[in-house]
Amino acid sequence: MKLILLGPPGSGKGTMSERLTKDFKLKHISPGEIFRDEIEKKTQLGQEIRKYMEGGGLVPDNLTNEIIKLEIEKQKKFLLDGYPRTIGQAQALSKVVKIDKVILLEVSEKTAIERISGRRICSQCETPFHIKFIPPKKTGICNKCGGKLMQRKDDAPASVKKRFQIYNEQVKHLKEFFQRKKLLRRIDASSTPKEVYHEIQKAVKDS
Ligand code: AMP
């Protein structure tokens, strides 16, 4: 199974990808995570990537495509989260591998902003939580690894608005691209995590 999960910030993408990868035994591939890891390790690649990420823009396609291609080639079953983000990336991907389905989570900007304000992420393993919807067992502490929970810098409302705008601009083209290939499955992501996940499971299992 080779899946792509698309959705704006606040659509529940992190939570849904965690459940999907566990239940369907998929390798989670996320450029954002790979990039943050490279920056933390202070590699040469990390140095180069940092300037794009800090400016709030995207890392250039050629660099991103190459990194993701290396990851994909190692895996038989995976979930791509945060890739492709541009048409150039979608085209490059289609030359490397045959994708089974593209799950698109749809949610309004208002709902997304409400959700994001309560979002927390583990500073060590990146497991997502939400102070209201998915609270950790112990306040401020990750259930999985005991790491400290934090709020991402780009989860501030102004930053979220900008990310939403960029996402809307890009997703238009991706939607068309994958719809033409009959791979797109649209999911209403405004209900509870349980309901949304149920719909995703149905979409993944349907042929
Ligand atoms: P994310 O963790 O998905 O929110 O990504 C964090 C940052 O990593 C983005 O703001 C971009 O700078 C970079 N990034 C993540 N995915 C991609 C991608 N597919 N193409 C280019 N840059 C990306």
Side-chain angles (χ1 to χ4, degrees), residues 1-6 20-21 24-29 68-69 71-81 83-84 93-103 178 182-185 203-206:
M1 176 96 61
K2 297 176 173 69
L3 297 179
I4 293 175
L5 188 61
L6 294 178
L20 274 170
T21 48
F24 292 88
K25 299 191 170 46
L26 308 174
K27 166 78 179 166
H28 182 233
I29 303 178
I68 296 299
K69 184 172 172 233
E71 281 298 315
I72 284 173
E73 283 171 348
K74 288 189 245 163
Q75 311 296 336
K76 280 209 179 76
K77 296 164 76 179
F78 59 76
L79 174 84
L80 281 167
D81 172 7
Y83 182 92
L93 178 68
S94 67
K95 286 184 191 138
V96 177
V97 74
K98 191 178 167 299
I99 294 294
D100 295 303
K101 263 166 209 156
V102 179
I103 306 290
F178 290 121
K182 300 195 170 29
L183 295 177
L184 197 72
R185 303 291 183 274
V204 171
K205 287 174 186 167
D206 275 1

Side-chain angles (χ1 to χ4, degrees), residues 150-161:
M150 58 170 199
Q151 188 167 34
R152 274 171 49 168
K153 278 195 199 112
D154 53 356
D155 277 352
S159 181
V160 172
K161 263 194 168 319

Side-chain angles (χ1 to χ4, degrees), residues 113-180:
I113 290 179
E114 268 168 21
R115 284 182 181 174
I116 286 175
S117 60
R119 190 153 90 167
R120 300 292 179 273
I121 189 167
C122 174
S123 54
Q124 283 179 31
C125 71
E126 298 209 350
T127 298
F129 293 89
H130 191 283
I131 52 175
K132 189 165 154 204
F133 306 121
I134 319 164
K137 288 188 188 125
K138 219 171 139 192
T139 308
I141 303 291
C142 175
N143 293 351
K144 253 191 179 170
C145 75
K148 234 175 136 178
L149 303 187
M150 58 170 199
Q151 188 167 34
R152 274 171 49 168
K153 278 195 199 112
D154 53 356
D155 277 352
S159 181
V160 172
K161 263 194 168 319
K162 188 181 168 200
R163 285 163 61 205
F164 217 94
Q165 236 170 19
I166 296 174
Y167 170 83
N168 278 338
E169 188 47 46
Q170 288 158 349
V171 84
K172 266 196 302 215
H173 308 295
L174 293 176
K175 250 168 42 182
E176 279 167 21
F177 184 87
F178 290 121
Q179 206 142 30
R180 261 199 313 262

Side-chain angles (χ1 to χ4, degrees), residues 31-43 46 126:
E33 270 175 27
I34 298 172
F35 293 160
R36 279 189 288 276
D37 198 42
E38 293 287 332
I39 291 173
E40 198 156 303
K41 284 195 211 137
K42 296 190 166 57
T43 61
E126 298 209 350

